[in-house]
Amino acid sequence: GTDRREIPQRSSRWAAKSADILAAAKLTPNQISVGSVVFAAAGAAALIWSAHTDDAIIRAVLLAAAAACIPLRLLLNMLDGMLAVEKGLSSPVGDIYNELPDRISDVLFLGAAGVATAGLATAGRVDFGMMLGFLAAILAVLTAYIRCLGAALGTGNFFDGPLAKPQRMWLLMIGVLVAIAEPWLPWPEGWALFCTLALIAAGSLVTCIRRLRRVSTALHARKDLPA
């Protein structure tokens, strides 16, 4: 659909200047969309690596790098749309590049956060940290699926929260930053990410339910309209 998520920063001077620079560099919106996946992959790798080092300084650096990749991913997600719409650089396959890289990025970040908590909370062969990570990733993809389903059914794109993509990513970034301080906090390393994933999974489930209700309500309202 052509609806766009409300992003206040989109109208800022620095965002417009950034879009001008990217357009002048002959970068396309699709290339920028793929670039967001590169940042997500780098952040995911840093998250996983941070759980496999015994050096507190290296762990902190890796977590800081992972945290930095989150807003960079969101920044490219905003700029690709600005080039497509404001700069008139959209392409016939633009919608694919607008959606698919976002879903890949969600899975990379949230799945990696789950892997980073591996071994923290287990019962038999069940690793609850990894389970939470991939559950959060599945629900994140499902929130977007329901939004796109609504658009396909003609009810429009519903960007309702409480945990739409930006909110999910900001919450994850906070969890990663708290994890940096875990050596000095009264709980084992990994619990910050574990609790963050639990919040993201729960919030994403509520988001799915809210969006599905809005789509259903819009479909019922359309059926009740006089011919």
Side-chain angles (χ1 to χ4, degrees), residues 148-166:
C148 291
L149 178 62
L153 293 172
T155 64
N157 281 292
F158 294 121
F159 296 102
D160 304 60
L163 281 188
K165 178 186 68 180

Side-chain angles (χ1 to χ4, degrees), residues 35-95:
S36 69
V37 179
V38 174
F39 278 115
L47 279 173
I48 295 172
W49 188 3
S50 72
H52 293 85
T53 179
D54 295 324
D55 189 306
I57 295 177
I58 293 177
R59 178 180 182 271
V61 170
L62 289 168
L63 289 173
C69 285
I70 294 172
L72 289 172
R73 173 249 169 135
L74 292 175
L75 175 62
L76 292 190
N77 289 159
M78 178 182 73
L79 291 173
D80 63 359
M82 291 183 67
L83 261 68
V85 178
E86 278 85 347
K87 301 299 180 183
L89 297 176
S90 60
S91 75
V93 294
D95 282 343

